[in-house]
Amino acid sequence: MTSIAVIGGGKIGEALISGLVASGHDPASITVTNRTPSRREELIEKYGVNGTDDNNRAVAGADIVALCVKPVGVTAMLEEVSDTVDDNDSTTVVSLAAGVTLAQMEESLPAGTPVVRVMPNTPMLVGKGMSAAAPGRYVSDEQMAAVEEMLRAVGEVAVVAESDMDAVTALAGSSPAYYFLVTEALIDAGVQLGLKRDVATKLATTAAEGAGALLGHGEDDPTTLRTNVSSPGGTTVAALRELEESGLRGAFFRAAEKCAQRSAELGK
Ligand SMILES: NC(=O)c1ccc[n+]([C@@H]2O[C@H](COP(=O)([O-])OP(=O)(O)OC[C@H]3O[C@@H](n4cnc5c(N)ncnc54)[C@H](OP(=O)(O)O)[C@@H]3O)[C@@H](O)[C@H]2O)c1
């Protein structure tokens, strides 16, 4: 079984551990490190994984090192474990930190180290994540397959070129917030129509969950799903016309563009 070192047991680190254990990965082959000892102990107790306060000890012998620390800490972390990675035969170092490039990772590690850059999104906290993974130049097919398998424990995976990462951020990394905003706006609209806020919240969030499930089912594309509920001359088309006239489609084009631009700026 693939041995995995999870460096940083915060929200994303825990989501990864939780998904791996739930999908049958042996907890004994997972080691977590975390700066605050109480948090580390909590994860060890909750999931039965190994833990240490020594990042090098966790990395030694691991097939995959999953870096789940904040972006600002990644380069220092890689330099800290660089010699240990060098001692291993084929450790793949995976960063889930936004904006940290493959080149930055490769520069901080011994020459030839296989590295993978991943952009996850927060639905991975409930096993519904969408991760995009870009392999570095030294990653073998077998190593990439192992990384994909690890990420599938918390949702879906798409393998992309690193040059697509900014667009990926606009479409998946940041997009859950767009859907939350739409749901929030619909709740306010319901309150304006006279519904109690708790009722409006239940209606809008359950509709979002249901629509998401239909999309996830994958039998019909979004256009078919929308036209299926748009009776000629009916209520839904009246609402859709207002959204189109308010420039919704253009707003998403512009939002995605801004998001990708910002991602590119942060990656510099
Ligand atoms: N695309 C997305 O939607 C998305 C969403 C979330 C996260 N991410 C990425 O995922 C990464 C993790 O995010 P998060 O939300 O899980 O952050 P978080 O909850 O703050 O977790 C980071 C963890 O790393 C630990 N840590 C920091 N320095 C460490 C060190 N030197 N050794 C061991 N552990 C250390 C921290 O411990 P202490 O708290 O004890 O310091 C903390 O528990 C980030 O890089 C972020 O960019 C992406």
Side-chain angles (χ1 to χ4, degrees), residues 6 31 44 70 74 85 91 107 114 125-126 136 142 144 167 172 191 202 207 230 259:
V6 177
T31 301
I44 294 168
K70 291 286 188 198
V74 170
V85 170
T91 298
E107 271 164 31
L125 300 171
V126 291
E142 197 187 329
M144 196 57 195
V191 172
K202 188 171 174 64
S230 304
C259 184

Side-chain angles (χ1 to χ4, degrees), residues 51-66:
T52 169
D53 61 355
D54 181 345
N55 289 323
N56 279 292
R57 226 174 115 195
V59 166
D63 297 314
I64 296 178
V65 174

Side-chain angles (χ1 to χ4, degrees), residues 6-14 33-37 39 52-53 55 67-74 77 80 95-100 118-124 169 172-174 176:
V6 177
I7 309 297
K11 291 181 284 297
I12 293 294
E14 178 171 9
T33 71
N34 196 65
R35 206 160 36 187
T36 307
R39 171 66 176 164
T52 169
D53 61 355
N55 289 323
L67 294 172
C68 301
V69 296
K70 291 286 188 198
V72 74
V74 170
M77 170 69 61
E80 180 187 334
S95 163
L96 288 89
V100 178
V118 173
M119 167 57 67
N121 68 9
T122 53
M124 81 182 264
T169 305
S174 295

